[in-house]
Amino acid sequence: MSLLFTLLVLTCAFVVDQVSTEEDKAVSYSGYQVWRITALSKEEHQAVLKMIEHFGLELWRWQESQTINTPIDVLVPPQSQIKVKQQLDEANISFVVKVADLQEDINDENPNLNASSYNTKAAHRMDWMSYHRLDDIYGYLNYLADTYPNIVQLINIGASYENRTLYVVRISNSSKPDTQPAVWIDGGFHAREWITHALATYIIQQLVEEPANAKLLFNIDWYIMPVVNPDGYEYSHVINRLWRRSRSNTGSRRCQGVDLNRNFDFKWGGPGSSNNPCADTFKGSKAFSEPEAVAYSKFIKSKSNQIKLYLSLHSYGQLILLPWGYEREYPSDYNETLALANLAASKFRAFSYRVGTTVDLLYRASGNSADWAKSIGIKYVYTVELPIRGFVLPASFILPVSKDFFPALDVLASKISTIPH
Ligand SMILES: *[C@@H]1O[C@H](CO)[C@@H](O)[C@H](O)[C@H]1NC(C)=O
Ligand SMILES: *[C@@H]1O[C@H](CO)[C@@H](O)[C@H](O)[C@H]1NC(C)=O
Ligand SMILES: *[C@@H]1O[C@H](CO)[C@@H](O)[C@H](O)[C@H]1NC(C)=O
Ligand SMILES: *[C@@H]1O[C@H](CO)[C@@H](O)[C@H](O)[C@H]1NC(C)=O
Ligand SMILES: *[C@@H]1O[C@H](CO)[C@@H](O)[C@H](O)[C@H]1NC(C)=O
Ligand SMILES: [Zn+2]
């Protein structure tokens, strides 16, 4: 593990400490800004990361090695803004203020929630005009299972640390269960990435309730888990909009929760994961220490012969990421899986996505779920980083992002529907 990397991990730890408390009081990001810094050389990139470490700032979007394509997004608290600007100016490194007041963005993010969803006469409260709490999402899943029992099955795969149900939705029109190729899609590994819960539920809605998409059920079983981390999701709605991890007891009184996407039992604990229970990339006390990761992995393993395509939704970055993520290595069938990803990427219209391995386009991330899925033999494994404005994305983006996603999903599904099972 490089020194730089160690420093970064410690950095994240410091920040989590600073902005979250275990009191039941909502965290305010009033005056916090998001800056986009553009480093023009390896040296500048290193200098920026060092400075971020020095000031204990939280990285929102970054890359381990410098390329011209990847600016660094960083959250800058009010008390650091003058000094950070001074250092960047002295080093002649340019930046723009992307978010002028994060709390204002948070306040404006979900404006239609009440208007759209608290119609007590409706059979469910779900829509894609706003981000919905867990009750609305689960209410919708139950509604679908009741209303379309021939194609929708709601599978309870276990419980979260705080005892919320973990649901997988099975969508299939096959008279013989488990005999055709299957697609896995999940959202909400990371609590604050609200666009992923919204897109996963949108895909469910489109597959079940939109007759034009019936062809996507013709040869395929779909397994979709829209909320992998329900405890974190609720916490991100009620207490801390930027919460990422689960909510389990880590032994640290101040810092709860594990990065579920570093908790998987493949290369667990390697570079890109942290020992520090306060770090955003905390890997947990052991591989599969978290009930959410256990339930998820058991379910996928039970279907691993059937699942040919695995999509894990994250935000943000507009990237389609391929294994491996633990180190700069490439699976033996990389070219084949890359070709399909490139074809899918060519279908986006409103937003363009880049394609490559997690390490090439971002950083190392040992113990991530996609590497684990690849390691158990699933062929087409992709992590998708959705668009691009940050974790706090106005709800008016849900439909444009989701509609733009569907042609790419169609390409991926068509490919796997032809794989003999
Ligand atoms: C600062 O950077 C700009 C290009 O971004 C360059 O034109 C200029 O010469 C630099 N100034 C110094 C003092 O390095
Ligand atoms: C939505 O409704 C709830 C409950 O009625 C209320 O507490 C809340 O302030 C409302 N939020 C908005 C944004 O109107
Ligand atoms: C967890 O929830 C289930 C029902 O969802 C309940 O039967 C059980 O008692 C709960 N367990 C705990 C420890 O709260
Ligand atoms: C399910 O399959 C039946 C029989 O093949 C067909 O009539 C029906 O249209 C299909 N429904 C959907 C939603 O695909
Ligand atoms: C993948 O493609 C690259 C360039 O197109 C080629 O150099 C490499 O040998 C290929 N790898 C495999 C495993 O086929
Ligand atoms: Zn994520």
Side-chain angles (χ1 to χ4, degrees):
M1 193 189 283
S2 71
L3 175 62
L4 176 60
F5 192 75
T6 311
L7 292 175
L8 289 169
V9 168
L10 293 174
T11 296
C12 290
F14 180 72
V15 171
V16 170
D17 267 3
Q18 205 178 34
V19 297
S20 67
T21 69
E22 298 307 317
E23 295 157 34
D24 288 328
K25 200 167 123 244
V27 175
S28 168
Y29 288 96
S30 181
Y32 280 63
Q33 297 190 332
V34 180
W35 293 8
R36 173 159 290 185
I37 303 172
T38 306
L40 297 175
S41 66
K42 273 203 169 76
E43 291 68 33
E44 283 191 5
H45 188 77
Q46 297 267 331
V48 170
L49 293 179
K50 247 197 192 138
M51 182 204 66
I52 286 169
E53 187 270 327
H54 172 77
F55 285 104
L57 308 180
E58 180 176 324
L59 284 164
W60 270 25
R61 179 168 184 238
W62 65 290
Q63 195 167 342
E64 226 172 316
S65 41
Q66 186 263 350
T67 70
I68 47 170
N69 282 324
T70 50
I72 295 168
D73 288 354
V74 63
L75 181 65
V76 191
Q79 67 272 19
S80 307
Q81 283 158 10
I82 288 172
K83 284 182 192 148
V84 174
K85 177 173 175 359
Q86 217 164 35
Q87 285 220 354
L88 288 170
D89 287 348
E90 274 166 24
N92 197 22
I93 295 171
S94 65
F95 70 95
V96 293
V97 176
K98 256 187 71 174
V99 175
D101 186 326
L102 183 60
Q103 190 58 45
E104 278 180 21
D105 276 28
I106 291 171
N107 296 343
D108 293 344
E109 182 181 27
N110 218 7
N112 300 318
L113 184 59
N114 283 4
S116 64
S117 66
Y118 288 87
N119 174 356
T120 50
K121 289 197 193 109
H124 64 79
R125 297 201 298 243
M126 198 60 192
D127 65 25
W128 290 268
M129 310 300 284
S130 48
Y131 297 105
H132 290 258
R133 295 282 295 275
L134 190 69
D135 271 354
D136 288 7
I137 294 176
Y138 280 5
Y140 180 59
L141 302 184
N142 276 291
Y143 160 82
L144 291 177
D146 289 346
T147 311
Y148 307 95
N150 294 334
I151 56 170
V152 179
Q153 190 192 344
L154 198 49
I155 307 169
N156 174 341
I157 66 163
S160 69
Y161 179 80
E162 292 175 347
N163 201 28
R164 294 186 175 88
T165 305
L166 301 169
Y167 282 125
V168 172
V169 182
R170 179 178 187 275
I171 305 168
S172 171
N173 194 25
S174 166
S175 51
K176 290 191 217 141
D178 300 344
T179 56
Q180 32 188 26
V183 175
W184 170 270
I185 300 174
D186 66 64
F189 253 92
H190 291 141
R192 64 190 175 190
E193 297 168 9
W194 287 3
I195 187 66
T196 70
H197 312 80
L199 174 56
T201 52
Y202 177 84
I203 293 169
I204 293 169
Q205 188 273 334
Q206 285 289 302
L207 292 174
V208 176
E209 299 199 292
E210 178 50 59
N213 292 322
K215 64 182 192 323
L216 289 169
L217 303 190
F218 184 56
N219 239 337
I220 304 171
D221 291 349
W222 297 78
Y223 292 100
I224 304 179
M225 184 173 189
V227 190
V228 173
N229 174 14
D231 299 347
Y233 187 57
E234 284 295 290
Y235 195 78
S236 75
H237 273 273
V238 178
I239 304 290
N240 184 348
R241 177 64 190 85
L242 295 187
W243 192 256
R244 166 181 163 101
R245 303 175 300 172
S246 68
R247 292 292 305 157
S248 61
N249 186 344
T250 58
S252 155
R253 210 183 59 79
R254 276 174 315 137
C255 300
Q256 287 176 283
V258 166
D259 184 348
L260 297 177
N261 205 27
R262 300 291 184 278
N263 193 236
F264 280 66
D265 190 14
F266 177 75
K267 306 286 178 183
W268 177 82
S273 66
S274 176
N275 290 324
N276 181 334
C278 296
D280 256 353
T281 55
F282 178 49
K283 64 189 181 181
S285 58
K286 59 179 191 208
F288 289 145
S289 59
E290 301 307 289
E292 297 86 358
V294 170
Y296 175 106
S297 62
K298 275 194 176 148
F299 183 81
I300 290 186
K301 210 153 188 190
S302 74
K303 307 281 179 205
S304 63
N305 290 332
Q306 213 194 335
I307 295 171
K308 306 297 179 199
L309 171 66
Y310 168 101
L311 289 180
S312 191
L313 305 176
H314 286 257
S315 80
Y316 59 98
Q318 287 175 223
L319 307 169
I320 299 177
L321 301 172
L322 284 67
W324 298 107
Y326 69 92
E327 198 43 272
R328 180 158 283 134
E329 301 282 349
Y330 303 84
S332 57
D333 59 358
Y334 178 67
N335 285 359
E336 227 179 310
T337 58
L338 179 65
L340 181 60
N342 279 326
L343 183 62
S346 75
K347 301 297 174 189
F348 288 99
R349 289 292 170 268
F351 305 92
S352 63
Y353 288 63
R354 290 187 296 133
V355 180
T357 70
T358 302
V359 178
D360 284 341
L361 297 189
L362 291 177
Y363 34 68
R364 291 171 293 174
S366 300
N368 75 75
S369 70
D371 277 7
W372 173 84
K374 186 71 182 171
S375 79
I376 63 164
I378 297 174
K379 182 167 180 78
Y380 294 101
V381 170
Y382 305 112
T383 300
V384 182
E385 296 282 353
L386 295 167
I388 182 130
R389 292 254 302 248
F391 299 117
V392 180
L393 183 70
S396 57
F397 275 81
I398 295 172
L399 280 174
V401 167
S402 300
K403 287 179 176 168
D404 200 42
F405 194 81
F406 233 73
L409 184 61
D410 196 353
V411 164
L412 297 171
S414 305
K415 172 74 181 182
I416 75 116
S417 73
T418 65
I419 299 175
H421 175 59

